[in-house]
Amino acid sequence: MVFTSSALVIAAAIQWGLAGGLGSLLMSRGWAPELISFWRALIGLGCMTIWLAVIRLQGKRLDFNRHLLFWSVVAGLGVAGNFTFYFISISEGSVAVAATLMYSAPVFVYLASFLVGAERPTLVKLFAIALVMSGIVLLTGIYRAEAGVITTLGIISGLLSGLSYALFIFAFKYAGAYGPAPSALSIAFATGTLVLIALINHEQALTVPVSADAFWFVLLGLLGAGLSFYCYIVGLRGTLPTTASIVAMVEPVTAALFGLAILGELLNLTQVVGMVLILGAVTGLSILQSRSSPSEASDR
């Protein structure tokens, strides 16, 4: 069960990797980061609404309460921040820098988990975090970034995207304790959409459905906020926050493979080493968690 949960989180990360590529494509065609984030959240809200409708048709109850509402709204702020800051970081710097900064999230998640007593720090988890972060640095080539390419806004936005991702993980976990996941995620996406609608150019937003890029917006929403979040929230039920965030780091690997297979971008030896480090740490954590899940469950 635990290994299956990790596999679902990996499936979500693969879709997020593809969605990130689509977002970069749309920005190269002149669409603003905030607008792309808005449509991603809006389509995600539509997907969750359909999910809720299916549940109701099955005769199941959808309980809403103030605790569920509060934590779901907080999770929605995390969604809005993660979507927007990540794309801003790409637009102000580079994909390599943005991806590396955003995936500092496991560090934030780990420290927060430690502070609230949700997890106990172990040498194995610390070593896994170090391996994954090292792998991302090697894979993205951040160490080769030239002076003047990365703006201050890009660096700050990348770090904020990681913090926003950590906020979503914690808030969604708490929301899940007070109600069903589809309800929580629907409120979260509704919150994210409302936040983002205040930041976008409304006239430009209305042109999206009739533009030549409408299909790519829909695909971005489905992969980046529809099916991917379904896989993620189901998989998250059987994983600890730190492990889930580390496993989700296969996203940059997906981006690299997409570039290799579709764009003809070759990987050098350093990038291959980075990919191996990430996959090795992910696989090791999945195996470790499947063996230690009974004891971890008793600790919570």
Side-chain angles (χ1 to χ4, degrees):
M1 176 62 184
V2 177
F3 186 81
T4 301
S5 296
S6 296
L8 286 172
V9 176
I10 291 173
I14 291 174
Q15 294 174 73
W16 286 330
L18 296 175
L22 290 172
S24 298
L25 174 65
L26 288 171
M27 281 190 289
S28 71
R29 297 189 178 187
W31 298 101
E34 298 86 353
L35 182 63
I36 297 171
S37 300
F38 166 76
W39 276 100
R40 181 178 179 181
L42 182 62
I43 294 174
L45 174 60
C47 291
M48 293 306 112
T49 301
I50 293 174
W51 191 6
L52 288 177
V54 171
I55 293 176
R56 285 295 298 149
L57 289 175
Q58 293 175 341
K60 298 180 181 179
R61 294 183 58 186
L62 296 173
D63 296 325
F64 291 90
N65 55 74
R66 59 188 180 89
H67 296 292
L68 173 66
L69 178 62
F70 173 79
W71 287 112
S72 298
V73 168
V74 174
L77 296 176
V79 169
N82 177 250
F83 286 2
T84 306
F85 288 128
Y86 179 53
F87 287 131
I88 291 177
S89 183
I90 292 176
S91 67
E92 292 291 328
S94 68
V95 176
V97 173
T100 303
L101 293 176
M102 184 176 73
Y103 281 98
S104 61
V107 176
F108 298 126
V109 174
Y110 180 79
L111 292 176
S113 295
F114 173 71
L115 290 175
V116 301
E119 297 185 47
R120 297 175 182 176
T122 65
L123 289 177
V124 173
K125 288 181 179 179
L126 289 173
F127 182 65
I129 289 175
L131 278 181
V132 173
M133 296 305 293
S134 298
I136 290 174
V137 169
L138 293 175
L139 180 64
T140 58
I142 180 63
Y143 58 92
R144 297 195 304 269
E146 300 177 359
V149 173
I150 311 167
T151 68
T152 301
L153 178 59
I155 295 173
I156 294 175
S157 297
L159 290 173
L160 288 175
S161 69
L163 281 170
S164 299
Y165 177 55
L167 176 64
F168 165 76
I169 291 174
F170 275 104
F172 187 76
K173 272 285 191 178
Y174 280 109
Y178 296 103
S183 299
L185 202 52
S186 296
I187 297 172
F189 277 124
T191 301
T193 301
L194 290 175
V195 170
L196 291 169
I197 200 172
L199 304 177
I200 63 173
N201 182 315
H202 296 163
E203 293 183 3
Q204 187 182 37
L206 292 174
T207 66
V208 169
V210 295
S211 71
D213 294 322
F215 170 78
W216 301 115
F217 272 98
V218 173
L219 187 60
L220 169 63
L222 291 176
L223 293 179
L227 180 59
S228 59
F229 270 87
Y230 172 81
C231 294
Y232 183 72
I233 61 178
V234 173
L236 194 64
R237 294 170 184 168
T239 58
L240 291 171
T242 302
T243 306
S245 58
I246 293 175
V247 168
M249 283 188 174
V250 297
E251 180 177 344
V253 177
T254 301
L257 292 176
F258 182 84
L260 177 64
I262 306 300
L263 304 177
E265 299 175 350
L266 299 178
L267 296 175
N268 58 38
L269 180 60
T270 302
Q271 290 175 306
V272 172
V273 171
M275 184 179 297
V276 170
L277 286 177
I278 295 171
L279 292 178
V282 168
T283 303
L285 278 171
S286 297
I287 295 174
L288 175 65
Q289 189 183 30
S290 65
R291 291 176 178 177
S292 61
S293 56
S295 60
E296 286 184 341
S298 63
D299 290 338
R300 278 188 277 175

